[in-house]
Amino acid sequence: KHMPPLSTVKYSLKILEGHYPERLFKAYICNPPFVFRVFWAVTKPLLDPVTKEKIVFCHGDAGVALVGERYDLDWVEKCAGGVDGKYCKPFDH
């Protein structure tokens, strides 16, 4: 209902892949809502295989372990599996 048209998604991906090639090391998506997983299922076939390999979904304890392999969990926000976010400062908007 609130998803953009597929043509918009394709065009956006084309811009990102064309203007920012190989800029991303990994993207960790922690505990995404169901609607995002649906969007990912639609978008994934449109992505370059190299880009697809850079997207990592993290769920529950196994997801926290994945993030913890690369990052010190003291520096990760609690909502993304961090220990307590003691080094994370609240965003003041």
Side-chain angles (χ1 to χ4, degrees):
K1 179 179 172 182
H2 298 289
M3 286 179 56
L6 191 56
S7 60
T8 302
V9 172
K10 284 181 179 179
Y11 187 69
S12 298
L13 291 173
K14 183 178 177 181
I15 290 171
L16 291 171
E17 289 178 338
H19 292 280
Y20 302 100
E22 303 306 318
R23 299 274 184 199
L24 178 67
F25 172 69
K26 288 269 187 207
Y28 293 89
I29 302 172
C30 301
N31 300 316
F34 177 75
V35 70
F36 186 84
R37 286 181 263 165
V38 171
F39 179 74
W40 175 248
V42 170
T43 307
K44 188 176 178 178
L46 306 173
L47 290 174
D48 180 271
V50 174
T51 303
K52 278 190 261 192
E53 291 297 318
K54 295 178 179 187
I55 310 296
V56 180
F57 284 86
C58 304
H59 302 277
D61 292 338
V64 171
L66 270 174
V67 173
E69 288 175 7
R70 177 137 327 257
Y71 300 100
D72 179 352
L73 294 178
D74 284 336
W75 289 90
V76 176
E77 293 181 36
K78 195 170 189 172
C79 65
V83 178
D84 63 8
K86 65 182 175 184
Y87 297 115
C88 298
K89 295 180 181 171
F91 180 71
D92 181 24
H93 36 303

